[in-house]
Amino acid sequence: MKIFHTADWHLGKLVQGVYMTNDQRFVLQQFIQDIEQEQPDVVIVAGDLYDRAVPPTEAVQLLDEVLETIVLKLKIPVLAIAGNHDSPSRLHFGSKIMEQNGLHMAGRLTKELQPVILHDAFGPVHFHLVPYCDPSMVRNVFDDEEVRSHQDAARKIMTEIKAELDLNARHVLIGHAFVTPFGDEEENTSDSERPLSIGGAEYVDAQLYSDFHYTALGHLHQAHYVMKEKIRYAGSILKYSISEEHHRKGYSIVELGQNGDVKITKKELMPKRDMRTVEATMSELLTHSICDDYVFVRLLDETPILSPMEKIRSVYPNAMHVERKQIITQSIATTKKTRSKMSDLELFQSFYEQVKGERVTEETERIFKEVVDELLQDENKTTAQPQREFVPN
Amino acid sequence: MKIFHTADWHLGKLVQGVYMTNDQRFVLQQFIQDIEQEQPDVVIVAGDLYDRAVPPTEAVQLLDEVLETIVLKLKIPVLAIAGNHDSPSRLHFGSKIMEQNGLHMAGRLTKELQPVILHDAFGPVHFHLVPYCDPSMVRNVFDDEEVRSHQDAARKIMTEIKAELDLNARHVLIGHAFVTPFGDEEENTSDSERPLSIGGAEYVDAQLYSDFHYTALGHLHQAHYVMKEKIRYAGSILKYSISEEHHRKGYSIVELGQNGDVKITKKELMPKRDMRTVEATMSELLTHSICDDYVFVRLLDETPILSPMEKIRSVYPNAMHVERKQIITQSIATTKKTRSKMSDLELFQSFYEQVKGERVTEETERIFKEVVDELLQDENKTTAQPQREFVPN
């Protein structure tokens, strides 16, 4: 059985104030072409179809188009679960009616964990759809007060599923969780993944999934496997934060053999616009070819630049962010003396060092003093005129 | 062909801060029982399934349950359109996938106005689903700059539909609009219907629908027909404002005969709690039997009552509103003299008249003077003690 495993579409996502909808449509069209060409038996979307509980209508329309094409036009069943970004109830709407046409949407967790059963030449494959749910939801659904952490919740659900497991069939689990091999909890996170809970109770031990022939995971945005080759994140379809700059985005093609053995191929999707860092001085940058990519610019100039974004966008019209390379400065006067107690010259020295990263030269100090003296002289001339009252806050 | 015509469910509606979800579930369960018993060929919901574009999840779940029961369990097709309260795109989601199982949801207006065709012993019946759309949407979809008003929009759509009409079939139109017989525009409105547009351009002439064998309308909350018996509003399933107090809520059973003749029966739904006005003095009201209805109380007492809602809710726990019957008073001194210039006695006289609706008796005036004199005497005794500073705003 050939399975396309994808996850973390995050339709309706805004990155630095920019809607990703067109970029998402672009890669999903490639995905649909691949489906048409490769004719998998089933497509899995392991959660976070939308970026938020109430996505913008453009995102709703895009998901509608994509699912309609796969299910109705290409006649390939889709198995999707809610992720932590989706609204369980909103995603669940119409699911019973749609499943008869091959669209299986598990939005809400229910007590009855009936697998979706598909067949190939070697017999049935049971797909266990486990939508994202926090521990309190699992506690309520199964009326089990012991469920406190995500690990407890996953263990409870796995126990329920395993109690009913048909040992003559092959089994695929679809889940949305932060799965780690024991003791390896801090790896592979990205800024665009929302934490599942505060305080470290969000991790699920990969061991729980080791009995399934394949586990199709969503939540972490980098494609990778956890503990075993067959417990795998597909990763997101696009880079959703600059911390994902070096990820290769796409999906997994899983070929499930007669005995439950799996052969996994990574398939990349080409983004409409890449997301990457550009490090250069402004003058270098302005010699680059014009490029549509979503760039995060780190300017190497030593001096500040006026309206840098405006200049950058003449070359990179979709630039998302600009910063100056952090200059590591020696211990500066400001840290030792509060500003209110500094003389004019000291204030200038401190400012100069922070901006330029080096001490003021004697020549510069001399010019500064001259200018200040001139200004103070002018001020003394005007003191005879009426002054505005100055009231301290 | 037996048709159940209903409209204006407004799931997720809040009335005076109270969610109507349980009341809605109560009447919709009756509706489902009626469907089970009467076995209509089709159920029409003519818009405003939800009360707002993003309804609460309880409303989404309730609609999901109801539609699933009718379509999957009772196997009766449902034809629904978006009303002005619904989000076209959100309601449209999954519609192509669901229509294969008998749920036809027209959320967004499309250029292709394909009817849904159902059959009975006498042949086909074409149902034309026209979701609510404002003139600008129609202007865009048909690229017709002439469309300015709701009347223009409806005329445009009807022209498109009529151009393709199969004259050998019977035709039912499903619409959501403010339809009036010519010149009779201000009738039948209720406070809970949101105006479709500002400035009177919202009306649609009933004449436009006269060619259809039946027109199933939604938007106005009172069940009634417009111009002809066969152009009809089903009305809302519940009273959604006290201005609907005297409506009899329910739905229409339409029997469409061989030649397109219609026999229409009004079927009532029994609300869990009625919505009605109670006029009584507080002492009378407190002798009433305890009642769950949503009451709007008009107190007939002449004197103000402290914490009236608290007292009322000991008898009517779901009371929604309380007001005192307006007492028409004669021209009172306050209108002639500003308060700051009035003496203590004049202030009292004016206050008394406003509250009681009659002039103060001499006896009452005498008691008032005594009390004031006593207070002033007390005040003079305390002037020797330190006083707080009083600063005017």
Side-chain angles (χ1 to χ4, degrees), chain A residues 1-3 41 115-128 165-173 211-214 255-262:
Chain A
M1 178 166 291
K2 192 193 282 183
I3 301 163
D41 297 284
V116 174
I117 302 173
L118 300 176
H119 293 80
D120 64 6
F122 309 120
V125 180
H126 290 216
F127 292 86
H128 304 273
L165 223 55
D166 175 354
L167 296 178
N168 295 317
R170 290 159 292 165
H171 295 274
V172 174
L173 188 115
D211 290 348
F212 297 93
H213 298 98
Y214 184 71
E255 284 174 277
L256 184 66
Q258 180 170 11
N259 304 312
D261 50 302
V262 286

Side-chain angles (χ1 to χ4, degrees), chain B residues 257-321:
Chain B
Q258 181 169 8
N259 304 312
D261 50 302
V262 286
K263 189 179 149 243
I264 298 155
T265 321
K266 171 94 185 275
K267 188 76 199 292
E268 283 188 50
L269 293 168
M270 177 67 66
K272 188 171 177 184
R273 297 165 182 145
D274 197 11
M275 187 179 289
R276 60 191 173 91
T277 301
V278 170
E279 271 201 8
T281 62
M282 184 60 88
S283 58
E284 280 165 16
L285 186 145
L286 294 175
T287 66
H288 294 185
S289 312
I290 288 176
C291 175
D292 266 352
D293 286 354
Y294 295 123
V295 296
F296 286 64
V297 176
R298 191 172 299 136
L299 286 178
L300 300 178
D301 300 79
E302 292 195 358
T303 49
I305 284 167
L306 209 63
S307 311
M309 201 45 130
E310 202 178 309
K311 296 190 176 79
I312 290 167
R313 288 203 169 141
S314 66
V315 177
Y316 294 105
N318 299 305
M320 284 190 154
H321 185 75

Side-chain angles (χ1 to χ4, degrees), chain A residues 50 54-57 60-61 63-64 67-68 71-72 87 89-90 92-98 100-101 103 105 108, chain B residues 50 54-57 60-61 63-64 67-68 71-72 87 89-90 92-98 100-101 103 105 108:
Chain A
Y50 293 124
V54 180
T57 54
V60 176
Q61 284 187 33
L63 185 63
D64 194 28
L67 295 177
E68 193 183 306
V71 169
L72 295 186
S87 158
S89 295
R90 295 182 205 282
H92 210 86
F93 181 84
S95 56
K96 280 275 167 215
I97 299 172
M98 295 191 285
Q100 316 223 348
N101 288 90
L103 177 57
M105 284 274 228
R108 288 195 306 269
Chain B
Y50 292 124
V54 179
T57 54
V60 176
Q61 284 189 33
L63 184 62
D64 194 29
L67 295 177
E68 194 182 306
V71 168
L72 295 186
S87 159
S89 294
R90 295 181 206 282
H92 211 86
F93 182 83
S95 57
K96 279 274 167 215
I97 300 172
M98 295 190 286
Q100 316 222 350
N101 288 91
L103 177 56
M105 285 274 228
R108 288 195 306 269

Side-chain angles (χ1 to χ4, degrees), chain B residues 149-151 178-180 185-186 189 197 200-205:
Chain B
S149 64
H150 280 270
Q151 169 70 7
F178 195 151
V179 178
T180 59
E185 292 151 355
E186 299 295 338
T189 61
S197 73
E202 61 176 312
Y203 307 111
V204 173
D205 186 352

Side-chain angles (χ1 to χ4, degrees), chain B residues 337-349:
Chain B
K337 206 168 177 181
T338 58
R339 276 188 209 148
S340 59
K341 290 178 183 163
M342 288 163 101
S343 70
D344 290 341
L345 181 61
E346 282 171 326
L347 277 168
F348 175 70
Q349 284 168 335

